[in-house]
Amino acid sequence: DSGVTQTPKHLITATGQRVTLRCSPRSGDLSVYWYQQSLDQGLQFLIQYYNGEERAKGNILERFSAQQFPDLHSELNLSSLELGDSALYFCASSVQGGGETQYFGPGTRLLVL
Amino acid sequence: GEDVEQSLFLSVREGDSSVINCTYTDSSSTYLYWYKQEPGAGLQLLTYIFSNMDMKQDQRLTVLLNKKDKHLSLRIADTQTGDSAIYFCAEKDSGYSTLTFGKGTMLLVSP
């Protein structure tokens, strides 16, 4: 158990819908990272927050957004969902914002029908 | 941009050693990581090595880094069936805070 929690574990929804994925980092970690894992693209970095502020942005679609709250938990919002958004979404956390050792949560499996 | 390459599949017998290889292109990598992913589970950090080191040993795991050839390997001694999983190599560039992952190597350990 890495200490990073993610909810929900599974999510099934329809195209065009909007969902919110939630992540709580390890106690004491200030930085949260979101990754998408799909069969064709592998593990892709989406976005990073550090102490409430956006720190780095990767291959995140405009339909996706994220935020980190004062209690340091983070939410990833996915809207206007398409079939191709079906994937595993991982959250990771680290102590500081420099990307050093990242600990991953168990992931949220999203299926868009 | 950075690129991390791994072979897709490795099959070994229980009790043998496994060696999983990884190559990367970014010469300014500072940390290199190995993660393990079991079916239906998240990524578990196995070990990491700083770029100024050649080798790191941690119980059954040995990481070797050849910085000149940008080659990283993970050796698992006395491989067990419970080691069957996908192993990901990842690198962190000195100028960025994010990780770049390889596509993963599926290790299958047969009894």
Side-chain angles (χ1 to χ4, degrees), chain A residues 25 29-32 48-54 66-75:
Chain A
D29 284 2
L30 296 177
S31 205
V32 168
Q48 176 201 2
Y49 277 79
Y50 172 69
N51 208 19
E53 307 239 334
E54 184 183 301
Q67 53 185 329
Q68 186 179 28
F69 294 86
D71 67 351
L72 301 176
H73 91 269
S74 177
E75 291 180 358

Side-chain angles (χ1 to χ4, degrees), chain B residues 18-107:
Chain B
S18 308
V19 179
I20 303 172
N21 295 300
C22 169
T23 58
Y24 59 97
T25 57
D26 190 350
S27 55
S28 60
S29 295
T30 52
Y31 287 91
L32 295 129
Y33 302 84
W34 285 104
Y35 284 86
K36 174 184 179 183
Q37 185 178 29
E38 296 183 57
L43 276 76
Q44 174 196 352
L45 177 65
L46 286 178
T47 187
Y48 63 93
I49 189 167
F50 191 54
S51 58
N52 67 355
M53 296 168 65
D54 299 322
M55 185 182 96
K56 181 177 179 182
Q57 188 150 4
D58 184 0
Q59 299 182 330
R60 292 191 298 123
L61 305 179
T62 303
V63 179
L64 294 177
L65 176 60
N66 181 329
K67 201 170 177 184
K68 175 174 161 290
D69 294 337
K70 300 193 185 72
H71 182 267
L72 182 76
S73 68
L74 173 70
R75 179 176 179 270
I76 306 172
D78 187 26
T79 316
Q80 303 297 307
T81 54
D83 295 323
S84 293
I86 301 176
Y87 291 79
F88 290 91
C89 166
E91 65 94 23
K92 178 183 133 35
D93 183 279
S94 62
Y96 298 93
S97 55
T98 60
L99 301 182
T100 301
F101 285 84
K103 293 254 196 266
T105 298
M106 179 178 287
L107 173 65

